[in-house]
Amino acid sequence: MYSIIPAGLILISARELTLEAAQSAGSARIVNSRPSNRDLPFAQTKKLLDSRNDREILEGLRKVISMMYRSKPCLPFFSAVVKNVASPNIEIKKLVYIYLLHYAESEPDLALLSINTIQKSLSDQSPQVRAMALRVMSGIKVPVISQIVSLGIKKGCADMSPIVRKAAALAIPKCYRLDPNTLPQLLDYISVLLGDKQYYVVGPAVIAFLEVCPDRIDLIHKHYRGLVRKLVDMDEWGQLATLSLLTVYARKCFPVRTKRVKKNKSKGFYEDEGSEHEEDNSGEEVQVLDLDLELFLKACKPLLSSRNSAVIVSTARCFLHLGTSEYIDAAIGPLVALLRSPQDIQHVAMNNIVAVCLVRPESFVRYVGHFLVRATDPPNVSRLKFEILTLIFPHCEPHIREMILSELEHFTRAADAALVQESVRAIGRCAQNESTASTRCLRLLLNQLSSQDGNLVAESLTVIRHLIQQDPQAHVQTVIRLAKNLDTTTNPEARASIIWLVSEFSGLPEEENIAPDVLRILVKGFADESEAAKLQIVLLAAKVYLHYLIRTTPAQTEEAPDIPSAQVVECASLHISAAAEENGWQDPHPPPSTDQPGLESDQDSPHPIPLLWTYVLHLTRYDVSYDLRDRTRLYRALLSNPQSTQLASLLLLAPKPVPHTPSPSENRKGLLIGSSSLVIGVEAAGADGMMGYEGLPEWVKEGEEPDAKLRDEGLAKEVYGEKKDVPAARELDKAVEKKGLGKIGVGGAKNKTFDDWLDEEEDSEEGSTEEETESGSEEESSEEEESESEGDEEVDRLVKQ
């Protein structure tokens, strides 16, 4: 008998499952028979929405949502869809809520009709339904319901489920955007949610704080240590928001403190023991971290193992702007590990690595192998790798420097012109940053002059010119070698660079000076030169002729007083006008005249330099370049009087400053790592970053920081280990002794019966009531005394009046 009943139940359940499967197969066959991209007629869709069968309602809602996401007009279905908001089926609720959020602004009056039903859902038994109702209510952008939304958030903040409290935290910014007048109420909600015990809720609360009231740091004081403890357990978005908030909080609440210490070079017994520091006024100055700041930085260390690259970069930003060098070194490894990511993340990671390398390049030396350019690297990543190699070059060992230079030399023969240009510039920066390697770098660049690529030769000559200017006296032979390449160099910029270098060495003694011979060769093909080369040839001729005048009239130049550099422009204009009046210039483009004082004597002499100068003046007289003709007239006016060459010496022979080529990312040094402005660059984002970019505030000055007691002093002792762990048995013994019961097991408490315990509790309750009455009578008497004293004071004041 008992075995037949379960068999019957099994048959009944099997029959029900079979019928349900048949219905599902029939409806699926009907749905699949229609094309998925084909819409149902309006009447048929509305019939499905008005049906009493949940399956048909779901099918109609799916069709409407599909049409909505394909930008089809779905507003006529508004009333038919919204009336299903009270359905107990959670799938139907979700689809109705999606439709309602999309069209609530178009039909605010009809949307308000569903608010009561959504409010009732806030009391549903399911926490998912309550959270979903709160999200939908805050998402309806109708300002009239702002107070209703605020009350819903208040109810959600006190909910038992963390899912609902998280929805309440996410609804706070929406309510604020809906009506900013609700800010005082929202501040209370934020303060409550920031102190929530669930990390699941605290992360969205921090996001709401940053959007609604980012300047109210006073709300964070009592929750600071709680946020630090929950940081590791939050999701990625909550971690990003909390890191940003606590970084700003640390700048505003923890001043920079330093002390001088003397490093103890003696190591401990174990290898992991670091060298201790002894305080010494004459030692090295190091930063002393606040205890709360150190607590935050230690809590950030596990985040360096996060699977999210943004969390790793944000943690590195905290260490860079808040921590010491030890914390920065700990973040470098995880940053370098991001280079294994896809190309988009790799590019962002490289920009942030360069920003950290500008501050602490010596820490990247051990990762030099990760910055060697690969064949699969895109051009922007290759350029950033070249920059990092040049930054760490001065801090490397000699064999690593040789490896870096070999790597850069290899890419000077690449097919990509931009990559070749960057590699040549990188070699120049290596020579600039490390003087001991400048000879090796110069040799590499000189080998590139025989290349058939004109752009490579021009870029190499530009870098060579910068290197020669750093120590001109040691590169005389280098200039002679460059001058020999004028016969084969065809690039205009390259020829102009060589001619400029020759002109800079035109003041050497006659037996070592090649400038007049180079000028003699160049003027033969002056008409075929480019404009850039012509300008440098005229400058070379002016300098050669000026040195000739100085050598032929040494007495006058030695006795002539120096002209201050601030009066150069005024003296030049007076000198040119005087020369014009003396020579009687009328034509704005006069040909060179032999009546000038210096030229007549020069033509009588057999020396070829004045003849070359005159010949260059004749050549430029008929040139098509306005700039060339104007500059030639300036030089001619300066050199018109051979007896007065002081002004010409100031303008033409002034010492040139040593060029310094900064790192390409030097202008991004002040931008925050992890920001879009850093990746885009100052050229595109501007000096102050992109719109919405906010840098870190300055460190608070010592003495102006908030009181540390605001951050819960009692909790701080537990966190920092000031209160040691005590076994539970010892705590129990102390409690028993405090009550006067003696130790358990010795006597007293062990021999007492249950009635004795009850009698003691009744006596304690009676004693407490008596104490309360006595304290109440004492308070009343004190209030009477205060009132009497106030009355006496009032009488005295009236008498005095």
Side-chain angles (χ1 to χ4, degrees):
M1 181 68 182
Y2 293 102
S3 62
I4 296 174
I5 293 175
L9 293 175
I10 293 172
L11 291 174
I12 292 172
S13 61
R15 179 176 175 275
E16 292 177 352
L17 289 173
T18 305
L19 291 175
E20 186 177 355
Q23 291 178 357
S24 301
S27 60
R29 194 183 307 111
I30 294 172
V31 173
N32 293 331
S33 63
R34 306 188 193 97
S36 58
N37 58 352
R38 190 172 174 183
D39 300 331
L40 293 176
F42 175 79
Q44 189 174 353
T45 305
K46 195 171 186 304
K47 183 178 179 181
L48 291 174
L49 294 173
D50 295 337
S51 176
R52 295 184 178 180
N53 189 355
D54 288 352
R55 188 180 302 278
E56 293 180 353
I57 295 174
L58 271 175
E59 184 182 352
L61 286 173
R62 290 192 184 105
K63 289 295 181 183
V64 172
I65 299 300
S66 175
M67 293 169 59
M68 182 182 72
Y69 282 112
R70 284 186 283 125
S71 301
K72 298 293 182 65
C74 299
L75 197 58
F77 300 106
F78 194 91
S79 58
V81 172
V82 172
K83 72 179 182 181
N84 293 309
V85 72
S87 174
N89 192 327
I90 190 170
E91 298 296 330
I92 293 177
K93 277 182 178 293
K94 288 179 181 179
L95 295 178
V96 173
Y97 286 162
I98 292 172
Y99 181 88
L100 188 61
L101 288 175
H102 195 272
Y103 286 108
E105 290 185 70
S106 302
E107 292 289 340
D109 296 333
L110 293 176
L112 291 175
L113 297 177
S114 62
I115 293 297
N116 292 331
T117 307
I118 298 175
Q119 273 189 297
K120 292 179 182 178
S121 299
L122 294 176
S123 303
D124 194 273
Q125 293 181 354
S126 173
Q128 293 183 352
V129 175
R130 298 198 300 270
M132 189 165 54
L134 187 56
R135 286 198 296 267
V136 173
M137 185 186 297
S138 61
I140 298 176
K141 299 177 182 179
V142 181
V144 181
I145 65 170
S146 60
Q147 292 299 326
I148 299 176
V149 175
S150 178
L151 292 175
I153 295 173
K154 182 179 180 181
K155 188 174 182 180
C157 291
D159 198 278
M160 295 295 294
S161 173
I163 299 176
V164 183
R165 298 200 297 274
K166 178 182 178 181
L170 294 174
I172 289 175
K174 301 177 183 177
C175 183
Y176 178 72
R177 289 194 294 266
L178 199 64
D179 185 9
N181 294 326
T182 58
L183 180 60
Q185 307 167 19
L186 299 179
L187 291 178
D188 297 336
Y189 306 154
I190 291 174
S191 180
V192 171
L193 293 173
L194 285 174
D196 199 282
K197 295 182 179 180
Q198 292 288 334
Y199 63 88
Y200 189 72
V201 181
V202 175
V206 173
I207 296 174
F209 175 86
L210 291 176
E211 187 167 349
V212 175
C213 53
D215 297 330
R216 291 294 304 273
I217 299 296
D218 55 298
L219 298 177
I220 307 298
H221 293 316
K222 58 183 178 181
H223 306 300
Y224 173 79
R225 297 189 182 104
L227 292 174
V228 171
R229 289 197 306 274
K230 300 182 185 75
L231 180 61
V232 179
D233 299 322
M234 294 181 187
D235 60 330
E236 286 86 352
W237 295 106
Q239 287 174 349
L240 290 173
T242 307
L243 286 172
S244 177
L245 170 63
L246 295 183
T247 303
V248 176
Y249 180 88
R251 283 294 191 102
K252 291 184 176 181
C253 299
F254 303 129
V256 178
R257 295 187 176 93
T258 58
K259 68 177 182 180
R260 293 189 176 274
V261 296
K262 183 180 180 181
K263 289 187 178 181
N264 186 10
K265 296 183 180 180
S266 60
K267 295 184 178 179
F269 181 77
Y270 298 101
E271 293 181 357
D272 57 350
E273 291 185 4
S275 60
E276 298 180 354
H277 298 276
E278 297 179 359
E279 191 167 355
D280 187 6
N281 294 330
S282 61
E284 181 184 358
E285 187 174 2
V286 297
Q287 182 180 358
V288 180
L289 297 177
D290 190 275
L291 291 178
D292 282 327
L293 178 57
E294 191 171 3
L295 177 69
F296 169 53
L297 294 177
K298 288 181 179 179
C300 291
K301 278 190 174 181
L303 301 183
L304 294 173
S305 303
S306 175
R307 61 183 178 181
N308 192 314
S309 58
V311 176
I312 296 175
V313 173
S314 297
T315 307
R317 177 179 59 195
C318 296
F319 289 168
L320 180 64
H321 297 289
L322 300 179
T324 57
S325 58
E326 291 80 6
Y327 288 100
I328 299 175
D329 294 342
I332 290 175
L335 281 177
V336 175
L338 295 178
L339 298 179
R340 305 190 190 101
S341 306
Q343 287 187 358
D344 51 350
I345 299 178
Q346 189 177 0
H347 179 224
V348 175
M350 282 300 303
N351 281 281
N352 292 283
I353 289 173
V354 170
V356 179
C357 190
L358 287 170
V359 178
R360 193 168 177 79
E362 60 274 9
S363 300
F364 288 86
V365 174
R366 55 179 175 171
Y367 302 104
V368 65
H370 296 272
F371 302 116
L372 299 178
V373 180
R374 301 179 181 178
T376 57
D377 288 338
N380 49 9
V381 174
S382 302
R383 178 180 56 82
L384 293 172
K385 284 188 175 182
F386 284 157
E387 184 174 358
I388 293 180
L389 290 177
T390 59
L391 289 173
I392 66 177
F393 184 80
H395 307 279
C396 296
E397 297 294 331
H399 66 281
I400 298 180
R401 292 179 188 172
E402 187 64 28
M403 181 189 68
I404 293 175
L405 291 178
S406 300
E407 175 81 0
L408 297 176
E409 183 186 11
H410 170 73
F411 282 97
T412 57
R413 298 186 292 271
D416 189 359
L419 194 61
V420 170
Q421 187 178 22
E422 289 296 331
S423 61
V424 171
R425 291 177 180 175
I427 293 174
R429 291 197 300 272
C430 289
Q432 174 184 282
N433 296 336
E434 182 60 36
S435 58
T436 58
S438 60
T439 305
R440 170 83 169 104
C441 296
L442 184 61
R443 193 182 307 115
L444 291 176
L445 294 172
L446 289 174
N447 293 335
Q448 309 302 325
L449 298 180
S450 59
S451 174
Q452 300 298 325
D453 188 358
N455 294 326
L456 172 60
V457 175
E459 192 64 37
S460 301
L461 280 170
T462 303
V463 178
I464 289 171
R465 177 167 58 86
H466 292 171
L467 296 179
I468 291 175
Q469 284 184 260
Q470 293 179 0
D471 189 8
Q473 303 300 325
H475 295 91
V476 177
Q477 298 299 322
T478 305
V479 175
I480 297 174
R481 179 178 175 181
L482 291 176
K484 294 178 181 179
N485 290 324
L486 283 173
D487 296 335
T488 58
T489 305
T490 57
N491 187 274
E493 297 298 329
R495 293 182 65 85
S497 297
I498 295 175
I499 297 170
W500 185 88
L501 282 173
V502 173
S503 67
E504 284 295 301
F505 287 84
S506 59
L508 294 175
E510 292 186 1
E511 60 274 5
E512 299 178 3
N513 196 352
I514 62 169
D517 291 331
V518 173
L519 177 62
R520 176 179 56 81
I521 297 171
L522 291 173
V523 295
K524 293 180 181 179
F526 184 84
D528 299 329
E529 296 284 354
S530 63
E531 183 178 353
K534 288 180 180 179
L535 290 171
Q536 297 303 325
I537 291 173
V538 173
L539 179 61
L540 173 61
K543 289 183 178 180
V544 169
Y545 183 60
L546 178 58
H547 283 294
Y548 167 75
L549 294 179
I550 293 174
R551 285 195 298 268
T552 54
T553 57
Q556 289 82 350
T557 55
E558 290 177 0
E559 297 174 359
D562 294 335
I563 300 178
S565 58
Q567 301 177 0
V568 167
V569 177
E570 183 179 359
C571 293
S573 60
L574 294 175
H575 193 78
I576 292 172
S577 60
E581 292 177 1
E582 180 181 357
N583 298 311
W585 291 345
Q586 300 296 331
D587 189 0
H589 305 288
S593 175
T594 57
D595 298 335
Q596 296 181 21
L599 292 180
E600 184 177 0
S601 58
D602 292 336
Q603 290 177 353
D604 296 338
S605 64
H607 205 284
I609 290 181
L611 297 177
L612 286 173
W613 171 241
T614 306
Y615 182 58
V616 171
L617 293 179
H618 279 283
L619 289 175
T620 55
R621 166 69 175 82
Y622 301 101
D623 197 86
V624 295
S625 174
Y626 289 96
D627 188 16
L628 182 61
R629 296 201 301 266
D630 293 342
R631 195 166 299 189
T632 305
R633 285 198 297 271
L634 173 63
Y635 295 154
R636 182 185 177 191
L638 289 172
L639 301 173
S640 60
N641 186 5
Q643 304 299 324
S644 178
T645 57
Q646 296 87 2
L647 185 59
S649 300
L650 285 173
L651 292 179
L652 298 179
L653 304 181
K656 309 299 186 296
V658 178
H660 177 78
T661 306
S663 186
S665 300
E666 192 73 28
N667 55 354
R668 307 185 190 185
K669 198 171 183 178
L671 298 176
L672 274 179
I673 68 171
S675 61
S676 301
S677 300
L678 178 68
V679 178
I680 294 175
V682 177
E683 297 82 4
D688 298 329
M690 297 177 62
M691 183 180 296
Y693 170 82
E694 293 183 3
L696 288 179
E698 297 293 333
W699 288 95
V700 65
K701 296 181 180 179
E702 192 169 1
E704 299 179 4
E705 72 275 10
D707 191 358
K709 295 180 180 178
L710 297 173
R711 292 188 287 273
D712 193 2
E713 185 178 1
L715 183 60
K717 293 181 179 179
E718 289 187 10
V719 172
Y720 296 132
E722 295 182 11
K723 182 178 180 181
K724 297 182 179 179
D725 295 335
V726 181
R730 190 179 301 174
E731 290 285 343
L732 186 59
D733 292 343
K734 289 182 180 179
V736 171
E737 291 177 359
K738 186 176 181 181
K739 289 189 175 183
L741 302 177
K743 292 186 178 180
I744 297 176
V746 177
K750 183 177 181 181
N751 298 327
K752 285 187 177 182
T753 62
F754 183 73
D755 295 331
D756 296 332
W757 284 99
L758 292 177
D759 293 336
E760 284 186 2
E761 290 179 359
E762 290 178 359
D763 295 340
S764 62
E765 289 178 358
E766 291 177 359
S768 62
T769 53
E770 291 177 358
E771 291 176 358
E772 289 178 357
T773 55
E774 291 177 359
S775 63
S777 61
E778 291 177 358
E779 290 178 356
E780 291 177 358
S781 61
S782 63
E783 290 178 357
E784 291 177 358
E785 292 176 357
E786 290 178 358
S787 61
E788 290 177 359
S789 62
E790 290 177 356
D792 296 340
E793 291 177 358
E794 184 68 21
V795 171
D796 295 339
R797 185 175 60 80
L798 293 174
V799 170
K800 290 179 180 179
Q801 289 179 354

